[in-house]
Amino acid sequence: MRHWHPRHTLYTYRRVKKTGRINVSPPLVLTAGFAILSLIGMGLLLLPFSTHQGVSALAALFSAVSAVTITGLTTVDIGTTYTPVGQAILIGLVQIGGLGFVTLSVTAALALGKRISLQHQALAQEAFNQTSVSTVRQIAYAIIKITFVIEIVGIAVFTLWWWQNTPFLQALGQGIFHGISAFNNAGMSISTTQIIDYAGDPVIILGTTILIILGGIGFSVIHDVRQKRSWRRLMPYTRIVILGTLALNIIGFCLIWLMERNNPATFAQLSMGDQALAAWLQTITTRTAGFNSVAISELNDSTTVLMMLFMFIGGGSLSLASGIKIGTFIVLVAAARAYIFQHAQPTLLNRAISEDTVQKSLALLLITSLLTFFATLLMTLFESAPFISILFEVVSAISTTGLSRDLTPTLSPASQILVILLMFVGRLGPLALIYSLSAKRRGHIRYPETTFQVG
């Protein structure tokens, strides 16, 4: 361990004074940045003009962290608790938390590549699935363009659609809030009933799911598709994520519709077309978006378990979704297949997967699973709710999905603090893990191998 010495402090001071740069790890920068943003958001939400009757500091902090981490869980009703100013603050936090998270990730990787070492250049290239730092820089600029173009189109569609039945300014406010929330996979809504009232509205349902998919598939995938515009020319990662997304969405759609079609509290009272729309939305929204077209607490247990699996998997890397990420899930499936069928190494689309990638995926799966387990254990001590509701709440928080079986508003202060930490870790943890695992230290000592019995 390196002990403190006055010379170290003096050297650091002189280097900062000379270069104007502080050598701080990207995970620490991101953590501090989002913590400060959450505290600022809490302070703004506590101001008199942000709420109709005032909220507690814990409720304001919960809402701010939920917005910054683009989760969507809230202990109060957004539409009735917060004024238009408060709602604007929330959606602003969602925009900064969504776009800011991605752009800060790119900036951190570029800073590592430019100022530190070739090892960190490789890290930046690997993080965004590129082969050159200049290409990563192009993605950084493309992210801003892609975000605002997609959001403007979504806002325009929702505003024009709602304008038919509501005043223009009200329709515009709803369109802005819903469009930004959907693309950023935040799941926040100013409607008390979420979008249950629009369960049979194809424009709202399909528009919302398109924004969720575009926000959750990954900016590197969108950038690659925009550049190549040919399936054969796409990178293997892009093709894998697209195929995996299609497969999960289709499987989820069919299973949720099949399991809920006779449930009188959810799908049974809907027409065939409305059932299809509701099943489609509930499938897409489990990819860490958080909207619901039916009462989540009324879903069958089988559907709830399936949704937890989808929330745990999440969306694409470098996206506005969380979870362990679909790429991680596919790598683990490929590794398991290679072991079962005694292949020399795991492969995808005739490309070998490195041992390092498999190890990262296993580490991410283990860490996320352990966090879920211990958080569930703690919440069962704090709450007397049904176990499936508690587990659903924990998975929803750590995957930053934002769905709840009506448990969030009734959580005790201890559970609220736990959920706040889960939302924070769920949003920042995977990136921090990638950096920590990628920054290898080569040692000169090699130990003899031994055999351990597993399985």
Side-chain angles (χ1 to χ4, degrees):
M1 186 175 84
R2 183 180 181 179
H3 298 283
W4 178 84
H5 193 278
R7 290 183 179 179
H8 297 156
T9 304
L10 180 62
Y11 172 76
T12 302
Y13 170 77
R14 288 176 176 174
R15 184 183 61 202
V16 172
K17 184 177 181 181
K18 180 179 179 180
T19 64
R21 297 171 179 171
I22 301 176
N23 187 19
V24 181
S25 65
L28 182 59
V29 172
L30 291 172
T31 302
F34 282 99
I36 293 172
L37 182 60
S38 298
L39 292 175
I40 293 174
M42 179 189 72
L44 292 174
L45 292 175
L46 286 173
L47 296 176
F49 54 73
S50 297
T51 61
H52 292 291
Q53 296 181 340
V55 294
S56 66
L58 182 57
L61 178 62
F62 195 103
S63 297
V65 172
S66 181
V68 169
T69 59
I70 52 178
T71 302
L73 292 172
T74 54
T75 55
V76 296
D77 182 76
I78 295 175
T80 58
T81 302
Y82 295 108
T83 64
V85 175
Q87 294 169 10
I89 292 171
L90 279 175
I91 203 62
L93 292 174
V94 167
Q95 184 70 85
I96 297 173
L99 179 62
F101 179 85
V102 176
T103 52
L104 281 175
S105 302
V106 177
T107 303
L110 287 174
L112 287 173
K114 289 168 64 178
R115 293 204 300 259
I116 299 184
S117 65
L118 292 175
Q119 178 187 13
H120 288 124
Q121 287 187 26
L123 166 61
Q125 295 162 22
E126 178 184 355
F128 305 111
N129 208 27
Q130 301 298 321
T131 56
S132 69
V133 175
S134 61
T135 306
V136 175
R137 187 178 294 108
Q138 292 175 8
I139 291 182
Y141 298 140
I143 284 173
I144 299 178
K145 296 179 182 178
I146 292 170
T147 297
F148 286 110
V149 168
I150 294 175
E151 285 185 350
I152 289 172
V153 172
I155 290 170
V157 170
F158 293 138
T159 300
L160 292 174
W161 188 252
W162 277 321
W163 190 18
Q164 300 177 77
N165 301 313
T166 57
F168 176 74
L169 290 180
Q170 182 180 348
L172 178 62
Q174 290 177 336
I176 292 174
F177 197 99
H178 189 73
I180 294 176
S181 180
F183 178 71
N184 285 276
N185 283 214
M188 285 187 166
S189 176
I190 56 178
S191 172
T192 304
T193 58
Q194 267 269 350
I195 53 176
I196 292 177
D197 295 338
Y198 304 100
D201 190 329
V203 174
I204 301 301
I205 298 299
L206 295 179
T208 301
T209 54
I210 289 172
L211 289 178
I212 292 171
I213 292 172
L214 291 175
I217 200 169
F219 286 101
S220 60
V221 172
I222 297 176
H223 182 68
D224 193 32
V225 172
R226 286 176 66 243
Q227 280 195 324
K228 307 294 178 56
R229 300 185 181 184
S230 171
W231 179 257
R232 292 184 177 181
R233 294 176 58 200
L234 294 177
M235 294 184 299
Y237 170 79
T238 300
R239 285 183 284 169
I240 284 294
V241 170
I242 292 175
L243 291 174
T245 299
L246 286 173
L248 287 176
N249 289 345
I250 293 173
I251 292 172
F253 169 72
C254 294
L255 290 178
I256 289 177
W257 194 355
L258 180 66
M259 291 186 290
E260 290 296 320
R261 72 188 191 285
N262 295 322
N263 185 345
T266 55
F267 285 15
Q269 304 300 322
L270 301 176
S271 65
M272 189 69 69
D274 290 354
Q275 286 187 13
L277 289 173
W280 178 248
L281 177 73
Q282 291 311 140
T283 300
I284 303 303
T285 197
T286 55
R287 309 298 297 285
T288 81
F291 291 103
N292 58 284
S293 57
V294 295
I296 300 299
S297 59
E298 301 294 339
L299 293 170
N300 293 322
D301 287 351
S302 56
T303 307
T304 303
V305 172
L306 177 66
M307 290 174 66
M308 283 192 283
L309 173 62
F310 276 39
M311 290 191 297
F312 192 83
I313 294 173
S317 299
L318 187 58
S319 74
L320 297 161
S322 292
I324 64 171
K325 302 299 172 58
I326 187 172
T328 303
F329 176 72
I330 292 175
V331 166
L332 292 172
V333 171
R337 182 191 62 186
Y339 179 80
I340 292 171
F341 294 102
Q342 299 298 303
H343 295 164
Q345 56 186 158
T347 58
L348 288 169
L349 298 180
N350 297 322
R351 298 290 193 279
I353 302 173
S354 69
E355 182 180 351
D356 184 58
T357 300
V358 175
Q359 290 177 350
K360 288 180 185 178
S361 301
L362 288 170
L364 183 56
L365 174 65
L366 179 61
I367 291 173
T368 308
S369 300
L370 288 176
L371 285 173
T372 302
F373 172 79
F374 286 111
T376 303
L377 177 63
L378 285 175
M379 194 172 289
T380 56
L381 298 175
F382 301 148
E383 307 296 329
S384 58
F387 177 76
I388 193 168
S389 296
I390 291 176
L391 180 59
F392 191 88
E393 191 82 8
V394 169
V395 175
S396 179
I398 201 169
S399 65
T400 71
T401 301
L403 292 173
S404 176
R405 291 171 60 87
D406 297 334
L407 183 60
T408 309
T410 64
L411 291 175
S412 64
S415 291
Q416 290 184 41
I417 294 173
L418 176 61
V419 171
I420 287 173
L421 293 175
L422 287 174
M423 291 189 292
F424 214 82
V425 171
R427 193 62 183 143
L428 297 175
L431 180 68
L433 176 65
I434 289 174
Y435 275 108
S436 63
L437 290 177
S438 297
K440 293 181 178 179
R441 291 183 175 89
R442 295 185 180 276
H444 298 290
I445 300 176
R446 292 292 182 268
Y447 298 96
E449 291 186 358
T450 187
T451 301
F452 287 91
Q453 295 183 2
V454 296

